[in-house]
Amino acid sequence: MKRNIAAVFSALLLTACGNPAEDSMLDLTALNQTMQYSQVNQMLYEPGSYLGQTVQICGEYYKGNHEPIIRVLDEQACCAAKITIFPADESTFDGIENFSEITVKGVFGTFQSYGVDFCCLNQTERIYVSKTEE
Amino acid sequence: MNELQKLIDYFVTYPFVRYAFAVGLLIALCASLLGVTLVLKRFSFIGDGLSHVAFGAMAVAAITGLTNKMVIILPVTLLSAILLLRTGQNTKIKGDAAIAMISVGALAIGYMLMNVFPSSANVSGDVCSTLFGSTSILTLKKSDVTLCIIMAVIVIAAFLLFYNKIFAVTFDENFCKASGVNANAYNLIIAMITAAIIVLAMNLVGSLLISALIIFPALSAMRVFRSFRGVILCSAVISVLCAAVGIMLSILFSTPVGSTIVTADIAVFLVFCGISAVTGRIRR
């Protein structure tokens, strides 16, 4: 009995071992909504593992008073993860309406604002936009 | 089938999926070990009561802005477990009333605090995630995984160490006391282990569905097996399998993790009821 439980426990511990996906291009658009949200969250928690990696994300575009962001929601739309997107050139995000569905590709990195580290996509290119201003 | 295998292999390359599996299966294993004892001692609802207390404690931890919420959640839940156990024994407010009182009280206060002092802009999202564990298990940090592994080691070690005493206290507490065993101390250990499991399981299925994780595997195993050891082993296997299937299905089809696991548990329970009915008829 005790041996059986100990064996099951050891097997479960091994499940957590292993390295993150190591492809240079991380295409999150291939994942479903919840998986994409979870992966973005993972990148925000442990940015060090993803620095310099090219990432393709699909989410909601929003530009307020600061830099534009991409918001990735889970399937039930109850949780959201946000990443700041720095455009490859000044016209990259011209004419995109707030809350449009957008797919972008950029290099994952971090930046500091008011002494706090934030995650971002640098040199971001737009791949697809659902709505643009006329 | 090959396509499904490829898809599963692809998903497992993501660290958060591996974290979810490791934590989910460990919690399922711990919950099932204790579930049998709790069901037999008629303490099935203590899990529900404590999970609501943990929700209230989480709300307090959220408004204090602590980065490690466990500092508040774990001691409060442990204390409530001890209080519930003591209240069940020798005070004016007995067992089920005490559980109901503490459980709804903590839930109400927790929800009120989360609304009055919101720690994020998305209060309904936070509440949904805490109560139903919508995506919590898929958004674990490395530190959460480490904490879960440490607590699971403690829970499993305590269970194995006190297996014989827990067995004795579960079946005949009075006989235990008469034969000189400190039954109250072992009840306290059971309550403390339960509190630890509840706190762990909040991440997996959310606080409203924790009872299901504790009760269903034990009840399913009891349909078919008759010995304590048989029921515990079968319950552990059912719980771990249902958690694995539930997590995998929720990843593949974007369903909420907690309710998918509980649905798998219910399905297994119905199957075991069927098996029990058939084998019962054959025996007769």
Side-chain angles (χ1 to χ4, degrees):
Chain A
M1 165 80 173
K2 290 183 182 179
R3 231 178 293 152
N4 291 338
I5 292 174
V8 173
F9 179 71
S10 316
L12 294 182
L13 283 189
L14 289 174
T15 319
C17 302
N19 296 320
E22 280 166 358
D23 294 345
S24 56
M25 165 77 172
L26 193 58
D27 184 4
L28 301 187
T29 56
L31 301 175
N32 63 39
Q33 199 71 25
T34 300
M35 286 285 284
Q36 195 178 180
Y37 160 76
S38 306
Q39 176 57 25
V40 171
N41 239 305
Q42 178 72 31
M43 293 164 79
L44 300 179
Y45 285 152
E46 292 168 9
S49 311
Y50 300 92
L51 288 177
Q53 210 165 12
T54 304
V55 183
Q56 186 160 306
I57 303 181
C58 167
E60 209 176 68
Y61 174 85
Y62 183 78
K63 169 92 174 84
N65 295 329
H66 303 284
E67 298 297 333
I69 57 159
I70 184 160
R71 228 160 62 104
V72 180
L73 298 153
D74 71 336
E75 191 72 36
Q76 287 78 34
C78 85
C79 308
K82 297 165 221 163
I83 293 190
T84 303
I85 41 180
F86 292 112
D89 60 67
E90 282 177 9
S91 61
T92 304
F93 299 131
D94 281 356
I96 302 179
E97 272 184 38
N98 276 346
F99 308 111
S100 320
E101 190 190 324
I102 182 172
T103 302
V104 294
K105 189 165 82 174
V107 180
F108 188 77
T110 56
F111 70 100
Q112 276 214 334
S113 179
Y114 301 104
V116 180
D117 283 327
F118 291 95
C119 294
C120 63
L121 290 184
N122 293 310
Q123 294 154 17
T124 310
E125 299 163 24
R126 69 194 237 187
I127 309 289
Y128 164 81
V129 179
S130 68
K131 268 187 283 178
T132 48
E133 284 164 354
E134 298 201 349
Chain B
M1 198 65 191
N2 266 351
E3 287 299 309
L4 185 68
Q5 184 60 45
K6 270 184 203 164
L7 199 61
I8 291 170
D9 289 345
Y10 170 64
F11 282 151
V12 172
T13 58
Y14 287 93
F16 72 90
V17 174
R18 288 197 303 273
Y19 290 171
F21 269 103
V23 169
L25 302 191
L26 279 175
I27 293 169
L29 176 65
C30 293
S32 66
L33 291 181
L34 210 68
V36 179
T37 302
L38 292 177
V39 170
L40 289 172
K41 282 174 77 64
R42 307 283 189 270
F43 275 168
S44 300
F45 256 94
I46 201 169
D48 213 46
L50 290 179
S51 63
H52 290 102
V53 171
F55 171 79
M58 183 180 254
V60 174
I63 61 172
T64 54
L66 282 172
T67 43
N68 186 3
K69 295 188 177 76
M70 286 292 168
V71 177
I72 290 184
I73 300 172
L74 196 58
V76 170
T77 316
L78 271 173
L79 195 71
S80 304
I82 296 165
L83 273 176
L84 278 179
L85 200 85
R86 286 187 64 82
T87 345
Q89 284 169 350
N90 50 9
T91 55
K92 283 179 185 171
I93 304 170
K94 297 281 179 194
D96 58 339
I99 292 176
M101 192 182 71
I102 292 185
S103 125
V104 291
L107 191 64
I109 290 171
Y111 186 55
M112 192 182 68
L113 287 176
M114 280 179 109
N115 277 278
V116 176
F117 307 104
S119 57
S120 77
N122 184 12
V123 174
S124 55
D126 289 347
V127 172
C128 167
S129 193
T130 317
L131 290 182
F132 298 102
S134 48
T135 53
S136 322
I137 192 81
L138 296 173
T139 54
L140 295 171
K141 294 177 200 163
K142 224 174 210 169
S143 56
D144 296 328
V145 182
T146 312
L147 181 73
C148 177
I149 289 172
I150 293 168
M151 285 176 72
V153 168
I154 295 170
V155 167
I156 293 170
F159 186 82
L160 295 179
L161 204 63
F162 301 118
Y163 175 76
N164 291 329
K165 304 287 185 203
I166 289 174
F167 174 82
V169 171
T170 302
F171 282 100
D172 200 338
E173 203 172 315
N174 293 331
F175 177 75
C176 263
K177 282 178 183 166
S179 55
V181 175
N182 188 352
N184 287 343
Y186 289 106
N187 275 330
L188 189 68
I189 290 172
I190 292 171
M192 287 168 76
I193 296 175
T194 310
I197 291 171
I198 300 297
V199 172
L200 284 178
M202 271 180 82
N203 271 334
L204 180 60
V205 292
S207 48
L208 285 184
L209 300 175
I210 287 174
S211 286
L213 205 65
I214 293 174
I215 295 164
F216 273 114
L219 287 178
S220 305
M222 281 175 194
R223 302 296 102 189
V224 175
F225 289 88
R226 293 286 169 261
S227 71
F228 188 64
R229 178 181 297 200
V231 169
I232 284 190
L233 284 177
C234 178
S235 162
V237 171
I238 292 171
S239 187
V240 169
L241 279 180
C242 287
V245 169
I247 294 172
M248 189 44 76
L249 288 179
S250 64
I251 286 169
L252 291 174
F253 302 109
S254 261
T255 52
V257 186
S259 45
T260 312
I261 294 173
V262 175
T263 308
D265 278 321
I266 294 170
V268 170
F269 175 71
L270 294 176
V271 169
F272 273 58
C273 282
I275 293 171
S276 166
V278 171
T279 51
R281 251 181 233 162
I282 291 170
R283 264 188 225 133
R284 260 183 267 141

